[in-house]
Amino acid sequence: MLSSCKNDEKISTQKIVKENLGSETKKDSLKKEKSAVLFSFENQDNTEVIKITASEVSDDNNFFLVGDKNILIASKYKKNKNKLQFIKSDTLLISDYYYVNVDPKHILRKKIRSEDYFLFEVQESPMGNGDPVFHLDFIMLNINTLNFYTLKYSGEATVRSGQAIDGEFLKNEILQSNIAVQTELYEFANKSKLVYNPSEKEKDINYYKNFEQKWYLDNDKHLYPSVIKSTYYNEDLFHFNGNYTNDEMIENTDFKIVSYFRNNIIGFDKNKKLYFPICIESCVSGCNKKIEFISENEIEISYSEIKTQESDTIDLNKIKFTNTVL
């Protein structure tokens, strides 16, 4: 049985206060000059104070951690007249070489099986080292004991996911052994704006928003297969994929082709008036491409950032389409 306290009300802004560490004791684990208290609230009896502290915060946003090693720590203090007496602390997160964003709005204070919990969301973002993977950590902290649980979600930013992360929740044996906590964490996580939850239409691989996934599936994840398989779409893939400059576009009488910066190559058949993906690729560095027509139906792809890599030639008339018209 799950029970809620005050209808699972979220912590009011009056009880969650941004603080600095100027008043912290010498027992605090983080360097004061680069740290900040993100959340501070009392236990149910108002006898203790719990603080969640972040290291290496940026100058203009305490909820954005920018160090090579970013740390979140939960600490408990006993209220003793006008002073706080340190009791204990525990490390909630250590993130190496990832930016860390803590969402100050996606939080929840909830009682589960007579235990008082605080839930919040953390995003770990690549620092531009070529790693495309993002991580979301949904942390559930027991206010009384400082024991905590973490549900992790990992994935990449894709065209279809928009501002969300296109990924999946990772298995966690500890959560699987505690169904009540696992249920609460999944419910909390699925309310995050950063978790990609496809609509019924988007679950169909043939839907145009899934053109990247469909291309990878048809071509067995090969970037330049011997025979490219593609799909015709009525929808404007140029607009859906994002903005592009004139330098990234070429065209002739029959085709218009766009090679997005370090991203996909998409074509438009002017005669059929249909869009089709040619190559699907997204990376942080080293994969920017230049394209040009070398005949009416052939394009040459050369890599502008890797001079030693050989050019590829694609005959647009030899692309094998898996459909006629959607």
Side-chain angles (χ1 to χ4, degrees), residues 100-182:
V100 170
N101 287 272
V102 179
D103 190 341
K105 296 181 179 179
H106 191 206
I107 56 178
L108 183 67
R109 177 90 173 257
K110 189 169 185 176
K111 187 173 286 292
I112 303 171
R113 291 183 174 179
S114 75
E115 293 287 344
D116 198 5
Y117 287 95
F118 176 64
L119 293 84
F120 67 105
E121 173 186 341
V122 177
Q123 177 185 355
E124 299 177 72
S125 307
M127 282 187 167
N129 55 5
D131 182 2
V133 178
F134 292 78
H135 303 290
L136 302 178
D137 302 283
F138 300 95
I139 300 174
M140 186 170 177
L141 174 69
N142 187 311
I143 293 173
N144 298 319
T145 65
L146 293 193
N147 294 334
F148 66 96
Y149 303 88
T150 301
L151 173 62
K152 206 172 192 70
Y153 178 93
S154 294
E156 300 183 17
T158 61
V159 174
R160 71 176 180 182
S161 64
Q163 299 301 313
I165 306 302
D166 196 341
E168 61 183 0
F169 291 103
L170 305 185
K171 291 183 179 180
N172 186 318
E173 293 182 0
I174 296 177
L175 290 181
Q176 290 175 343
S177 64
N178 194 328
I179 300 302
V181 170
Q182 178 177 258

Coordinates of all heavy atoms in Angstrom, one line a residue, residues 100-182:
V100 N 26.5 19.2 -15.2 CA 25.3 18.7 -14.4 C 24.3 19.9 -14.2 O 24.7 21.0 -13.7 CB 25.8 18.2 -13.0 CG1 24.6 18.0 -12.1 CG2 26.6 16.9 -13.2
N101 N 23.1 19.6 -14.6 CA 22.0 20.5 -14.4 C 21.0 19.9 -13.4 O 20.5 18.8 -13.6 CB 21.3 20.8 -15.7 CG 22.1 21.7 -16.6 OD1 22.0 22.9 -16.5 ND2 22.9 21.1 -17.5
V102 N 20.7 20.6 -12.3 CA 19.7 20.2 -11.4 C 18.4 21.0 -11.6 O 18.5 22.2 -11.7 CB 20.2 20.4 -9.9 CG1 19.1 19.9 -8.9 CG2 21.4 19.6 -9.7
D103 N 17.3 20.3 -11.8 CA 16.1 21.0 -12.1 C 15.4 21.5 -10.8 O 14.9 20.7 -10.1 CB 15.1 20.1 -12.9 CG 13.9 20.9 -13.5 OD1 13.6 22.0 -13.0 OD2 13.2 20.3 -14.4
P104 N 15.3 22.8 -10.6 CA 14.8 23.3 -9.3 C 13.2 23.2 -9.3 O 12.6 23.4 -8.2 CB 15.2 24.7 -9.2 CG 15.4 25.2 -10.7 CD 15.9 23.9 -11.4
K105 N 12.6 22.9 -10.4 CA 11.2 22.9 -10.5 C 10.6 21.5 -10.5 O 9.5 21.3 -10.0 CB 10.7 23.6 -11.8 CG 11.0 25.1 -11.8 CD 10.5 25.7 -13.1 CE 10.8 27.2 -13.1 NZ 10.4 27.9 -14.4
H106 N 11.3 20.5 -11.0 CA 10.8 19.1 -11.0 C 11.2 18.5 -9.7 O 12.2 17.7 -9.7 CB 11.3 18.4 -12.2 CG 10.6 17.1 -12.4 ND1 11.2 16.0 -13.1 CD2 9.4 16.6 -12.0 CE1 10.4 15.0 -13.1 NE2 9.3 15.3 -12.5
I107 N 10.5 18.7 -8.6 CA 10.8 18.2 -7.3 C 9.5 17.7 -6.7 O 8.4 18.1 -7.1 CB 11.5 19.2 -6.4 CG1 10.6 20.5 -6.3 CG2 12.9 19.6 -6.9 CD1 11.1 21.6 -5.4
L108 N 9.6 16.9 -5.7 CA 8.5 16.3 -5.0 C 8.8 15.9 -3.6 O 9.9 15.2 -3.4 CB 7.9 15.1 -5.8 CG 6.6 14.5 -5.2 CD1 5.4 15.5 -5.3 CD2 6.3 13.2 -6.0
R109 N 8.0 16.2 -2.6 CA 8.1 15.8 -1.2 C 6.9 14.8 -1.0 O 5.8 15.2 -1.2 CB 8.1 16.9 -0.3 CG 8.1 16.6 1.2 CD 9.5 16.5 1.7 NE 9.6 16.3 3.2 CZ 9.8 17.3 4.1 NH1 10.0 18.5 3.6 NH2 9.9 17.1 5.4
K110 N 7.2 13.6 -0.6 CA 6.2 12.6 -0.5 C 6.4 11.6 0.6 O 7.6 11.2 0.8 CB 6.0 11.9 -1.9 CG 4.8 11.0 -2.0 CD 4.6 10.5 -3.4 CE 3.3 9.7 -3.5 NZ 3.0 9.3 -4.9
K111 N 5.4 11.1 1.2 CA 5.5 10.1 2.2 C 5.1 8.7 1.6 O 4.0 8.6 1.0 CB 4.6 10.4 3.4 CG 4.8 9.5 4.6 CD 4.0 9.9 5.8 CE 4.7 11.1 6.5 NZ 6.0 10.8 7.1
I112 N 5.9 7.7 1.8 CA 5.7 6.4 1.2 C 5.9 5.4 2.4 O 7.0 5.3 2.9 CB 6.6 6.1 0.0 CG1 6.4 7.2 -1.0 CG2 6.3 4.7 -0.5 CD1 7.5 7.1 -2.1
R113 N 4.9 4.6 2.7 CA 5.0 3.6 3.7 C 5.6 4.2 5.0 O 6.6 3.7 5.6 CB 5.8 2.4 3.3 CG 5.1 1.6 2.2 CD 5.9 0.4 1.8 NE 5.2 -0.5 0.9 CZ 5.6 -1.6 0.4 NH1 6.9 -2.0 0.7 NH2 4.9 -2.3 -0.4
S114 N 5.0 5.4 5.4 CA 5.4 6.1 6.6 C 6.8 6.7 6.6 O 7.2 7.3 7.6 CB 5.3 5.2 7.9 OG 6.4 4.3 7.9
E115 N 7.5 6.6 5.4 CA 8.8 7.3 5.3 C 8.7 8.5 4.5 O 8.0 8.6 3.5 CB 9.8 6.3 4.6 CG 10.2 5.1 5.5 CD 11.1 5.4 6.6 OE1 11.6 6.5 6.6 OE2 11.2 4.6 7.6
D116 N 9.4 9.6 4.9 CA 9.4 10.9 4.2 C 10.5 10.9 3.1 O 11.7 10.7 3.5 CB 9.6 12.0 5.2 CG 9.1 13.3 4.7 OD1 8.6 13.4 3.6 OD2 9.3 14.3 5.5
Y117 N 10.1 11.2 1.9 CA 11.1 11.3 0.8 C 11.1 12.6 0.1 O 10.1 13.3 0.0 CB 10.8 10.2 -0.2 CG 11.1 8.8 0.2 CD1 10.1 8.0 0.8 CD2 12.4 8.2 0.1 CE1 10.4 6.7 1.2 CE2 12.6 6.9 0.5 CZ 11.6 6.2 1.1 OH 11.9 4.9 1.5
F118 N 12.2 12.9 -0.5 CA 12.4 14.1 -1.4 C 12.9 13.6 -2.8 O 13.9 12.9 -2.8 CB 13.4 15.1 -0.8 CG 13.6 16.3 -1.7 CD1 12.6 17.1 -2.0 CD2 14.9 16.5 -2.2 CE1 12.9 18.2 -2.9 CE2 15.2 17.6 -3.0 CZ 14.1 18.5 -3.3
L119 N 12.2 13.9 -3.8 CA 12.6 13.5 -5.2 C 13.0 14.7 -6.0 O 12.3 15.7 -6.0 CB 11.4 12.7 -5.9 CG 11.0 11.4 -5.3 CD1 10.0 11.6 -4.1 CD2 10.4 10.5 -6.4
F120 N 14.1 14.5 -6.8 CA 14.5 15.6 -7.7 C 15.2 15.0 -8.9 O 15.5 13.8 -9.0 CB 15.3 16.7 -7.0 CG 16.7 16.2 -6.5 CD1 17.8 16.6 -7.2 CD2 16.8 15.4 -5.4 CE1 19.1 16.1 -6.8 CE2 18.0 15.0 -5.0 CZ 19.2 15.3 -5.7
E121 N 15.4 15.9 -9.9 CA 15.9 15.4 -11.2 C 17.3 16.1 -11.5 O 17.5 17.3 -11.3 CB 14.9 15.8 -12.3 CG 15.4 15.5 -13.7 CD 14.4 16.0 -14.8 OE1 13.3 16.2 -14.4 OE2 14.9 16.2 -15.9
V122 N 18.2 15.3 -12.1 CA 19.5 15.8 -12.5 C 19.8 15.4 -13.9 O 19.5 14.2 -14.3 CB 20.6 15.2 -11.6 CG1 22.0 15.6 -12.0 CG2 20.4 15.6 -10.1
Q123 N 20.4 16.3 -14.7 CA 20.8 16.0 -16.1 C 22.3 16.1 -16.2 O 22.9 17.1 -15.8 CB 20.1 17.0 -17.1 CG 20.6 16.7 -18.5 CD 20.0 17.7 -19.5 OE1 19.2 18.6 -19.1 NE2 20.5 17.7 -20.7
E124 N 22.9 15.1 -16.7 CA 24.3 15.1 -17.0 C 24.5 15.2 -18.5 O 24.1 14.4 -19.3 CB 25.0 13.8 -16.5 CG 24.9 13.5 -15.0 CD 25.5 12.2 -14.6 OE1 26.7 12.1 -14.6 OE2 24.7 11.3 -14.3
S125 N 25.2 16.3 -18.9 CA 25.4 16.6 -20.4 C 26.8 16.5 -20.8 O 27.7 16.9 -20.0 CB 24.9 18.0 -20.7 OG 23.5 18.2 -20.2
P126 N 27.1 16.0 -22.0 CA 28.5 15.9 -22.5 C 29.2 17.2 -22.5 O 28.6 18.3 -22.8 CB 28.4 15.3 -23.9 CG 27.0 14.6 -23.9 CD 26.2 15.5 -23.0
M127 N 30.5 17.2 -22.3 CA 31.3 18.5 -22.3 C 31.9 18.8 -23.6 O 32.8 19.6 -23.7 CB 32.4 18.4 -21.2 CG 31.9 18.6 -19.8 SD 33.4 18.7 -18.7 CE 32.6 19.3 -17.2
G128 N 31.4 18.2 -24.7 CA 31.9 18.4 -26.0 C 33.1 17.6 -26.4 O 33.9 18.0 -27.2
N129 N 33.3 16.4 -25.7 CA 34.4 15.6 -26.0 C 34.1 14.5 -27.0 O 34.8 13.5 -27.1 CB 34.9 15.0 -24.7 CG 33.8 14.2 -23.9 OD1 32.7 14.1 -24.4 ND2 34.1 13.8 -22.7
G130 N 33.0 14.6 -27.7 CA 32.7 13.6 -28.7 C 31.7 12.6 -28.2 O 31.2 11.8 -29.0
D131 N 31.4 12.6 -27.0 CA 30.4 11.7 -26.4 C 29.0 12.3 -26.6 O 28.7 13.3 -26.0 CB 30.7 11.5 -24.9 CG 29.7 10.5 -24.2 OD1 28.9 9.9 -24.9 OD2 29.9 10.3 -23.0
P132 N 28.1 11.6 -27.3 CA 26.8 12.1 -27.6 C 25.7 11.7 -26.5 O 24.6 12.2 -26.6 CB 26.4 11.5 -28.9 CG 27.1 10.1 -28.9 CD 28.3 10.3 -28.1
V133 N 26.1 11.0 -25.5 CA 25.1 10.4 -24.6 C 24.8 11.4 -23.4 O 25.7 11.9 -22.8 CB 25.6 9.1 -24.0 CG1 24.6 8.5 -23.0 CG2 25.9 8.1 -25.1
F134 N 23.5 11.5 -23.1 CA 23.1 12.3 -22.0 C 22.5 11.3 -20.9 O 22.1 10.2 -21.3 CB 21.9 13.2 -22.4 CG 22.4 14.4 -23.3 CD1 22.6 14.2 -24.6 CD2 22.5 15.7 -22.8 CE1 23.0 15.2 -25.5 CE2 22.9 16.7 -23.6 CZ 23.1 16.5 -25.0
H135 N 22.6 11.7 -19.7 CA 22.1 10.9 -18.6 C 21.1 11.7 -17.8 O 21.4 12.9 -17.5 CB 23.2 10.4 -17.7 CG 24.3 9.6 -18.4 ND1 24.0 8.3 -18.9 CD2 25.6 9.9 -18.7 CE1 25.1 7.9 -19.5 NE2 26.1 8.8 -19.4
L136 N 20.0 11.1 -17.4 CA 19.1 11.7 -16.4 C 19.1 10.9 -15.2 O 19.0 9.7 -15.3 CB 17.7 11.8 -17.0 CG 17.5 12.6 -18.3 CD1 16.1 12.6 -18.7 CD2 18.0 14.1 -18.1
D137 N 19.3 11.5 -14.0 CA 19.3 10.8 -12.7 C 18.1 11.3 -11.9 O 18.0 12.5 -11.6 CB 20.6 11.1 -12.0 CG 21.8 10.7 -12.7 OD1 22.1 9.5 -12.8 OD2 22.5 11.6 -13.3
F138 N 17.2 10.4 -11.6 CA 16.0 10.7 -10.8 C 16.3 10.1 -9.4 O 16.4 8.9 -9.2 CB 14.8 10.1 -11.4 CG 14.5 10.7 -12.8 CD1 14.9 10.0 -13.9 CD2 13.9 11.9 -12.9 CE1 14.7 10.5 -15.2 CE2 13.6 12.5 -14.2 CZ 14.0 11.8 -15.3
I139 N 16.5 11.0 -8.4 CA 17.0 10.7 -7.1 C 15.9 10.8 -6.1 O 15.2 11.8 -6.1 CB 18.2 11.5 -6.7 CG1 19.4 11.4 -7.7 CG2 18.7 11.2 -5.3 CD1 20.6 12.3 -7.5
M140 N 15.8 9.8 -5.3 CA 14.8 9.7 -4.2 C 15.5 9.6 -2.9 O 16.0 8.5 -2.6 CB 13.8 8.5 -4.5 CG 12.6 8.4 -3.6 SD 11.5 7.2 -4.3 CE 10.2 7.2 -3.0
L141 N 15.4 10.6 -2.1 CA 16.2 10.7 -0.8 C 15.3 10.5 0.4 O 14.3 11.2 0.5 CB 16.9 12.1 -0.7 CG 17.6 12.4 0.6 CD1 18.8 11.5 0.7 CD2 18.0 13.9 0.6
N142 N 15.6 9.6 1.2 CA 14.9 9.4 2.5 C 15.4 10.4 3.5 O 16.5 10.5 3.8 CB 15.2 8.0 3.1 CG 14.4 7.6 4.3 OD1 14.3 8.4 5.2 ND2 13.8 6.5 4.3
I143 N 14.5 11.3 3.8 CA 14.8 12.5 4.6 C 15.3 12.1 6.0 O 16.1 12.7 6.7 CB 13.6 13.4 4.7 CG1 13.4 14.0 3.3 CG2 13.8 14.5 5.7 CD1 12.2 14.9 3.2
N144 N 14.8 11.0 6.5 CA 15.1 10.5 7.9 C 16.5 9.9 8.0 O 17.2 10.1 8.9 CB 14.0 9.6 8.4 CG 12.7 10.3 8.5 OD1 12.6 11.4 8.9 ND2 11.6 9.6 8.1
T145 N 16.8 9.0 7.0 CA 18.0 8.2 7.1 C 19.1 8.7 6.1 O 20.2 8.3 6.3 CB 17.7 6.7 6.7 OG1 17.2 6.7 5.4 CG2 16.6 6.2 7.6
L146 N 18.7 9.5 5.1 CA 19.6 9.9 4.1 C 20.0 8.8 3.1 O 20.8 8.9 2.2 CB 20.9 10.6 4.5 CG 20.8 11.9 5.3 CD1 22.1 12.6 5.4 CD2 19.8 12.9 4.6
N147 N 19.3 7.6 3.3 CA 19.4 6.6 2.2 C 18.7 7.1 1.0 O 17.7 7.8 1.1 CB 18.8 5.3 2.7 CG 19.5 4.7 3.9 OD1 20.7 4.9 4.1 ND2 18.8 3.9 4.7
F148 N 19.2 6.7 -0.2 CA 18.6 7.2 -1.4 C 18.7 6.1 -2.5 O 19.4 5.2 -2.4 CB 19.4 8.4 -1.9 CG 20.8 8.2 -2.3 CD1 21.1 8.0 -3.7 CD2 21.8 8.2 -1.4 CE1 22.4 7.8 -4.1 CE2 23.2 7.9 -1.8 CZ 23.4 7.7 -3.1
Y149 N 17.8 6.4 -3.5 CA 17.7 5.5 -4.7 C 17.8 6.4 -5.9 O 17.4 7.5 -5.9 CB 16.3 4.8 -4.7 CG 16.0 4.0 -3.5 CD1 15.4 4.5 -2.3 CD2 16.4 2.6 -3.4 CE1 15.1 3.8 -1.2 CE2 16.1 1.8 -2.3 CZ 15.5 2.4 -1.2 OH 15.2 1.7 -0.1
T150 N 18.4 5.8 -7.0 CA 18.5 6.5 -8.2 C 18.0 5.7 -9.4 O 18.4 4.5 -9.6 CB 20.0 6.8 -8.5 OG1 20.5 7.6 -7.4 CG2 20.2 7.6 -9.8
L151 N 17.2 6.3 -10.2 CA 16.7 5.7 -11.4 C 17.4 6.5 -12.5 O 17.3 7.7 -12.6 CB 15.2 5.9 -11.6 CG 14.6 5.4 -12.9 CD1 14.8 4.0 -13.2 CD2 13.1 5.8 -12.9
K152 N 18.1 5.7 -13.4 CA 18.9 6.4 -14.5 C 18.3 6.2 -15.8 O 17.8 5.1 -16.1 CB 20.3 5.8 -14.4 CG 21.4 6.7 -15.0 CD 22.8 6.2 -14.8 CE 23.8 7.2 -15.1 NZ 23.9 8.3 -14.1
Y153 N 18.3 7.2 -16.6 CA 17.8 7.2 -18.0 C 18.9 7.7 -18.9 O 19.5 8.8 -18.6 CB 16.6 8.1 -18.1 CG 15.9 8.2 -19.5 CD1 14.9 7.4 -19.9 CD2 16.3 9.2 -20.3 CE1 14.3 7.6 -21.1 CE2 15.7 9.4 -21.6 CZ 14.7 8.5 -21.9 OH 14.1 8.7 -23.2
S154 N 19.3 7.0 -20.0 CA 20.4 7.4 -20.8 C 19.9 7.4 -22.3 O 19.1 6.5 -22.7 CB 21.6 6.5 -20.7 OG 22.1 6.6 -19.4
G155 N 20.5 8.3 -23.1 CA 20.1 8.4 -24.5 C 20.8 9.6 -25.2 O 21.7 10.2 -24.6
E156 N 20.3 9.9 -26.4 CA 20.9 10.9 -27.2 C 19.8 11.9 -27.6 O 18.6 11.6 -27.6 CB 21.6 10.3 -28.4 CG 22.7 9.4 -28.1 CD 23.4 8.8 -29.3 OE1 23.3 9.5 -30.4 OE2 24.1 7.8 -29.2
A157 N 20.3 13.1 -28.0 CA 19.4 14.1 -28.6 C 19.1 13.7 -30.1 O 20.1 13.6 -30.8 CB 20.0 15.5 -28.4
T158 N 17.9 13.5 -30.4 CA 17.6 13.1 -31.8 C 16.6 14.1 -32.4 O 16.0 14.9 -31.6 CB 17.0 11.7 -31.9 OG1 15.8 11.7 -31.1 CG2 17.9 10.7 -31.4
V159 N 16.4 14.1 -33.7 CA 15.5 15.0 -34.3 C 14.1 14.8 -33.8 O 13.3 15.7 -33.5 CB 15.5 14.8 -35.9 CG1 14.4 15.7 -36.5 CG2 16.9 15.2 -36.4
R160 N 13.6 13.5 -33.7 CA 12.3 13.2 -33.3 C 12.0 13.6 -31.8 O 10.8 13.8 -31.5 CB 11.9 11.8 -33.5 CG 12.6 10.8 -32.6 CD 12.2 9.4 -32.8 NE 12.8 8.4 -31.9 CZ 12.6 7.1 -31.9 NH1 11.8 6.6 -32.8 NH2 13.3 6.3 -31.0
S161 N 13.0 13.6 -31.0 CA 12.8 13.8 -29.5 C 12.7 15.3 -29.2 O 12.3 15.6 -28.1 CB 13.9 13.2 -28.7 OG 15.1 13.7 -29.0
G162 N 13.0 16.2 -30.1 CA 13.0 17.6 -29.8 C 13.9 18.0 -28.7 O 15.1 17.7 -28.8
Q163 N 13.4 18.6 -27.7 CA 14.2 19.1 -26.5 C 14.5 17.9 -25.5 O 15.2 18.1 -24.6 CB 13.6 20.2 -25.8 CG 13.4 21.5 -26.7 CD 14.7 22.0 -27.3 OE1 15.7 22.2 -26.5 NE2 14.7 22.3 -28.5
A164 N 13.8 16.8 -25.7 CA 13.9 15.7 -24.8 C 15.1 14.8 -25.2 O 15.7 14.9 -26.2 CB 12.6 14.9 -24.7
I165 N 15.4 13.8 -24.4 CA 16.4 12.8 -24.6 C 15.8 11.5 -25.1 O 14.9 11.0 -24.5 CB 17.3 12.5 -23.3 CG1 17.8 13.8 -22.7 CG2 18.4 11.5 -23.6 CD1 18.7 14.6 -23.7
D166 N 16.3 11.0 -26.2 CA 15.7 9.8 -26.8 C 16.5 8.6 -26.3 O 17.6 8.4 -26.7 CB 15.9 9.9 -28.4 CG 15.0 8.9 -29.1 OD1 14.6 7.9 -28.5 OD2 14.8 9.1 -30.3
G167 N 16.0 7.9 -25.3 CA 16.7 6.9 -24.7 C 15.9 5.9 -24.0 O 14.7 5.6 -24.3
E168 N 16.4 5.3 -22.9 CA 15.7 4.3 -22.1 C 16.2 4.3 -20.7 O 17.3 4.8 -20.3 CB 15.9 2.9 -22.7 CG 17.4 2.5 -22.7 CD 17.6 1.1 -23.4 OE1 16.6 0.6 -23.9 OE2 18.7 0.7 -23.5
F169 N 15.3 3.8 -19.8 CA 15.7 3.6 -18.4 C 16.6 2.4 -18.2 O 16.3 1.4 -18.9 CB 14.4 3.4 -17.5 CG 13.5 4.7 -17.5 CD1 12.4 4.8 -18.2 CD2 13.9 5.7 -16.6 CE1 11.6 5.9 -18.1 CE2 13.1 6.9 -16.6 CZ 12.0 7.0 -17.3
L170 N 17.6 2.5 -17.4 CA 18.5 1.5 -17.2 C 18.0 0.6 -16.0 O 17.4 1.0 -15.1 CB 19.9 2.0 -16.8 CG 20.5 3.0 -17.8 CD1 21.9 3.4 -17.4 CD2 20.5 2.4 -19.2
K171 N 18.3 -0.7 -16.2 CA 17.8 -1.7 -15.2 C 18.6 -1.4 -13.9 O 19.8 -1.1 -13.9 CB 18.1 -3.1 -15.6 CG 17.2 -3.5 -16.8 CD 17.4 -5.0 -17.2 CE 16.5 -5.4 -18.3 NZ 16.7 -6.8 -18.7
N172 N 17.9 -1.6 -12.8 CA 18.5 -1.4 -11.5 C 18.0 -2.5 -10.5 O 16.8 -2.5 -10.1 CB 18.1 0.0 -11.0 CG 18.8 0.4 -9.7 OD1 18.9 -0.4 -8.8 ND2 19.3 1.6 -9.6
E173 N 18.9 -3.4 -10.1 CA 18.5 -4.5 -9.2 C 18.0 -4.0 -7.9 O 17.1 -4.6 -7.3 CB 19.6 -5.5 -9.1 CG 20.0 -6.2 -10.4 CD 21.2 -7.2 -10.2 OE1 21.6 -7.3 -9.0 OE2 21.5 -7.8 -11.1
I174 N 18.6 -3.0 -7.4 CA 18.2 -2.4 -6.1 C 16.7 -2.0 -6.1 O 15.9 -2.2 -5.2 CB 19.1 -1.3 -5.6 CG1 20.5 -1.8 -5.4 CG2 18.6 -0.6 -4.3 CD1 21.5 -0.8 -5.0
L175 N 16.4 -1.2 -7.2 CA 15.0 -0.8 -7.4 C 14.0 -1.9 -7.6 O 12.9 -1.9 -7.1 CB 14.9 0.2 -8.5 CG 15.5 1.6 -8.3 CD1 15.3 2.4 -9.6 CD2 15.0 2.3 -7.1
Q176 N 14.5 -2.9 -8.3 CA 13.6 -4.1 -8.6 C 13.3 -4.9 -7.3 O 12.2 -5.5 -7.3 CB 14.3 -5.0 -9.6 CG 14.4 -4.4 -11.0 CD 15.1 -5.3 -12.0 OE1 15.9 -6.2 -11.6 NE2 15.0 -5.0 -13.3
S177 N 14.1 -4.7 -6.3 CA 13.8 -5.4 -5.1 C 12.9 -4.5 -4.1 O 12.6 -5.0 -3.0 CB 15.1 -5.8 -4.4 OG 15.8 -4.6 -4.0
N178 N 12.6 -3.3 -4.6 CA 11.8 -2.4 -3.8 C 10.7 -1.8 -4.7 O 10.9 -0.7 -5.2 CB 12.6 -1.3 -3.1 CG 11.9 -0.6 -2.0 OD1 10.7 -0.4 -2.1 ND2 12.6 -0.1 -1.0
I179 N 9.7 -2.5 -4.9 CA 8.7 -2.2 -5.9 C 8.0 -0.8 -5.6 O 7.7 0.0 -6.5 CB 7.6 -3.3 -6.1 CG1 8.2 -4.6 -6.5 CG2 6.5 -2.9 -7.1 CD1 9.0 -4.5 -7.8
A180 N 7.8 -0.6 -4.4 CA 7.1 0.7 -4.0 C 7.9 1.9 -4.4 O 7.4 2.9 -5.0 CB 6.8 0.7 -2.5
V181 N 9.2 1.9 -4.1 CA 10.1 2.9 -4.5 C 10.3 3.0 -6.0 O 10.3 4.1 -6.6 CB 11.5 2.8 -3.8 CG1 12.5 3.7 -4.4 CG2 11.4 3.0 -2.3
Q182 N 10.4 1.9 -6.6 CA 10.6 1.8 -8.1 C 9.4 2.4 -8.8 O 9.5 3.2 -9.7 CB 10.8 0.4 -8.6 CG 10.9 0.3 -10.1 CD 11.1 -1.2 -10.5 OE1 12.3 -1.5 -10.8 NE2 10.1 -2.0 -10.5

